[in-house]
Amino acid sequence: MRILAYGVAGWLILAGAFGMVRSRNLIHVAVCLSVCQSGTYVLLLAIGYQWNAPAPVFSPGSPVRLPVADPVVQSLTFTDIVVSATVTALLLALAIQIHKTHRTLNPDDLQSLKG
């Protein structure tokens, strides 16, 4: 199961990166970046997953006999989701402003932005 999760994570990252490279629309670039970041969620969860591991909730005085799931990986994944939503919102807002100013979403048509 673990190899499958790594394969899915790699496929999502590569598919998102390929979409960003081939895109001719700024909104499509933002969506492809979201797909790429979804691959990082799967990768983080695949790294931190343990078979039959309970949640790390203990009562006082209870002995720890089983390996427990690492909550740090889950919190990193949640942080990654929040950052992804913020980055996507920022990129879509920039695409709207570029469309208002230049009347195009094609990066090749943005002549005034070239150095």
Side-chain angles (χ1 to χ4, degrees):
M1 182 67 182
R2 184 170 264 196
I3 300 297
L4 178 64
Y6 287 125
V8 168
W11 185 83
L12 283 171
I13 291 171
L14 288 176
F18 181 75
M20 283 190 292
V21 169
R22 297 281 299 165
S23 178
R24 294 291 169 235
N25 189 332
L26 293 176
I27 294 175
H28 188 257
V29 170
V31 171
C32 288
L33 183 65
S34 282
V35 170
C36 227
Q37 288 175 333
S38 297
T40 62
Y41 313 153
V42 176
L43 182 65
L44 281 171
L45 292 175
I47 289 171
Y49 183 75
Q50 292 186 13
W51 291 98
N52 297 328
V57 178
F58 306 109
S59 61
S62 67
V64 178
R65 294 192 179 110
L66 294 173
V68 295
D70 189 10
V72 174
V73 176
Q74 295 171 3
S75 63
L76 284 174
T77 304
F78 182 66
T79 304
D80 194 13
I81 291 169
V82 171
V83 169
S84 172
T86 306
V87 167
T88 302
L90 178 67
L91 288 175
L92 291 175
L94 286 172
I96 289 170
Q97 291 301 319
I98 288 172
H99 186 267
K100 284 181 183 178
T101 306
H102 299 284
R103 297 286 183 219
T104 185
L105 288 174
N106 189 350
D108 295 333
D109 294 341
L110 299 174
Q111 300 294 329
S112 63
L113 296 179
K114 291 186 179 177

